[in-house]
Amino acid sequence: MALAVDTQLGVGMRFKVTIDKTSYDLGSWAKVSGLDVTWDLIEYRAGDGKNDKWYFPGLTKYSTVKLERAVQKADTEAVRGWLESNSFAMEVQSGKVELLDAKSEPVMHWTLRHVLPAKWSISPFDANASKVALEVLELAHMGFLENE
């Protein structure tokens, strides 16, 4: 793949995730997954006796965005506070996932509309394993495409 000298490439290990309209800084995360979109295709076949089919975009579906990192006192407490504040009265918020280059400059971003916490979990505690405890936060959202 040929690239221009000044091409700015996004590096998969450099990103940041933020939630707007909140006093909670959820900290940095080690992994982001689930940033995708799919469409149900609507198939239409005209009744003119031919075998031609037409396709139209149907329902747009977004996966939950899954964040993962090692448990850290300050950041995990901030997430817990955000979860507690959204437990019964969820506030409409937006979030942003930014992909950065090697100099930590933004290359691309996805603004998640109407972000809500969908699930939080922590890895099992096991005295026989010498592993770092991991927390996982899943965010449900109404999409990131600007097609409204």
Side-chain angles (χ1 to χ4, degrees):
M1 170 172 70
L3 297 173
V5 176
D6 59 346
T7 300
Q8 189 179 18
L9 297 175
V11 182
M13 64 190 166
R14 291 187 187 254
F15 57 89
K16 68 180 175 179
V17 181
T18 56
I19 303 292
D20 299 335
K21 294 184 183 176
T22 180
S23 60
Y24 298 103
D25 177 3
L26 303 182
S28 59
W29 296 83
K31 186 176 179 182
V32 176
S33 60
L35 194 59
D36 60 52
V37 59
T38 59
W39 291 268
D40 288 340
L41 293 179
I42 306 300
E43 182 180 306
Y44 176 77
R45 184 169 172 243
D48 61 358
K50 294 183 181 177
N51 262 344
D52 294 337
K53 293 184 254 179
W54 297 328
Y55 294 99
F56 299 95
L59 182 64
T60 306
K61 297 178 187 175
Y62 296 93
S63 299
T64 57
V65 174
K66 192 176 191 180
L67 310 173
E68 189 175 331
R69 69 173 171 205
V71 174
Q72 314 165 47
K73 182 174 176 48
D75 289 343
T76 302
E77 285 178 350
V79 169
R80 183 176 175 160
W82 184 64
L83 295 174
E84 288 171 350
S85 73
N86 283 288
S87 182
F88 290 105
M90 292 190 179
E91 180 184 344
V92 176
Q93 301 172 57
S94 63
K96 187 189 294 185
V97 177
E98 287 184 285
L99 183 62
L100 309 174
D101 66 7
K103 297 177 183 176
S104 295
E105 295 293 324
V107 174
M108 185 67 190
H109 77 275
W110 297 265
T111 300
L112 308 176
R113 293 181 291 117
H114 198 103
V115 173
L116 301 171
K119 181 179 179 180
W120 178 89
S121 63
I122 193 166
S123 59
F125 302 144
D126 183 359
N128 294 319
S130 58
K131 296 181 180 178
V132 174
L134 299 176
E135 71 174 315
V136 177
L137 176 62
E138 292 186 36
L139 304 172
H141 59 96
M142 291 180 65
F144 53 79
L145 295 177
E146 302 292 332
N147 57 354
E148 296 273 326

